[in-house]
Amino acid sequence: MASISSKHVFTQWPRDRVLVAPSLLAARYDHLAEEVAAVEKAGAEVLHLDIMDGHFVPNISFGADLVKAIRPASGMLFDVHLMITDPLKYAPRFRDAGADHITFHVEVEQDADKVIDSIHALGCTAGISLRPATPLEMVLPYLEKVEMVLVMTVEPGFGGQSFHGEQLPKIQKLHAAIQATGKPIRLEVDGGIAKASAELVRQSGADVLVAGSSVFHAKDGDYKAAIDVLR
Ligand code: DX5
Ligand code: ZN
């Protein structure tokens, strides 16, 4: 494996620390730099960046140019979630834009080993994700090669959806499989994460919590309270 050269890595935090990753998808797009600075000040370690191509998912979000534009506004780990059909082609553009970590979906019709190797060759850590309907067995063969597994707790494509509780057994089994490797692989969850669901996923072994609406649409704009309540 090529050495990881990105500035921020998940191993910079203690293994048992639960990290919070606000999703930019729910931020105010007319004040992006301020929104990014505000969640960082509120204690978020990671910024989650949802990239949608209108093909892998039925929605289009934003691209590498936007990631590059907000990079100077933040010292957070940039966690790029590629919900796109062609991660092999586009991963380099997100690395160039400032991504530290890049996650792709196991459902794409590309050789997952090759995608992981290409992300590592870029100097980024790699993550593999699966939709709610995808069995966990699909990602197990790649576990030892990645730095993160991302379990979707909503159907990817849109923010603001309800948490899928039926994904909890999958999270528990992945947690056990990760423990068995002895490696510091992070287990991220994404979709409908708020106070109650955060507690359930933490108890199931998740240690990176993506949160869009529950942070950026927090009551009174209190991002710190919204982040603190998730841990
Ligand atoms: C959904 C995205 C999520 C989304 C989460 O496809 O991957 O990251 O922004 O938003 P909430 O937290 O509002 O469910
Ligand atoms: Zn996401």
Side-chain angles (χ1 to χ4, degrees):
M1 183 181 116
S3 64
I4 303 302
S5 59
S6 59
K7 196 168 161 201
H8 310 280
V9 285
F10 290 106
T11 49
Q12 76 193 61
W13 294 283
R15 184 72 186 92
D16 58 358
R17 180 174 173 132
V18 173
L19 309 176
V20 176
S23 167
L24 195 71
L25 200 62
R28 282 186 60 179
Y29 281 15
D30 57 344
H31 288 76
L32 280 181
E34 293 98 313
E35 291 275 76
V36 169
V39 289
E40 184 167 11
K41 188 164 173 249
E45 297 88 353
V46 176
L47 187 68
H48 187 79
L49 298 151
D50 287 301
I51 311 303
M52 307 180 184
D53 66 355
H55 187 256
F56 181 74
V57 289
N59 195 12
I60 295 173
S61 57
F62 48 81
D65 289 345
L66 187 139
V67 175
K68 188 176 179 183
I70 59 167
R71 180 72 269 192
S74 172
M76 288 181 283
L77 187 156
F78 272 23
D79 166 29
V80 168
H81 177 193
L82 295 180
M83 286 164 276
I84 68 174
T85 304
D86 195 347
L88 273 176
K89 178 173 177 182
Y90 291 99
R93 302 192 194 182
F94 287 94
R95 188 280 312 269
D96 291 347
D100 298 298
H101 171 88
I102 299 176
T103 293
F104 71 102
H105 270 262
V106 71
E107 300 90 358
V108 298
E109 290 172 12
Q110 292 186 335
D111 179 344
D113 280 307
K114 200 169 162 188
V115 180
I116 295 164
D117 290 344
S118 77
I119 293 170
H120 285 156
L122 293 169
C124 296
T125 52
I128 193 161
S129 182
L130 67 176
R131 294 175 181 270
T134 303
L136 78 114
E137 287 74 19
M138 288 280 290
V139 299
L140 291 179
Y142 310 105
L143 209 52
E144 303 248 0
K145 284 190 74 171
V146 294
E147 287 73 32
M148 182 215 271
V149 179
L150 165 55
V151 176
M152 291 305 302
T153 45
V154 298
E155 194 55 45
F158 300 91
Q161 304 180 74
S162 304
F163 175 75
H164 284 222
E166 84 285 351
Q167 295 301 304
L168 289 170
K170 187 191 276 178
I171 297 167
Q172 289 155 10
K173 286 175 194 158
L174 273 166
H175 174 64
I178 287 171
Q179 294 284 96
T181 69
K183 293 188 169 178
I185 303 161
R186 285 281 179 171
L187 182 52
E188 183 175 62
V189 290
D190 183 6
I193 300 298
K195 187 180 179 193
S197 51
E199 187 169 355
L200 295 172
V201 296
R202 274 191 283 107
Q203 286 166 353
S204 301
D207 54 22
V208 185
L209 311 184
V210 176
S213 314
S214 75
V215 170
F216 283 110
H217 304 169
K219 191 166 169 282
D220 304 325
D222 190 344
Y223 297 167
K224 184 168 187 320
I227 288 169
D228 288 347
V229 85
L230 299 177
R231 297 193 211 268

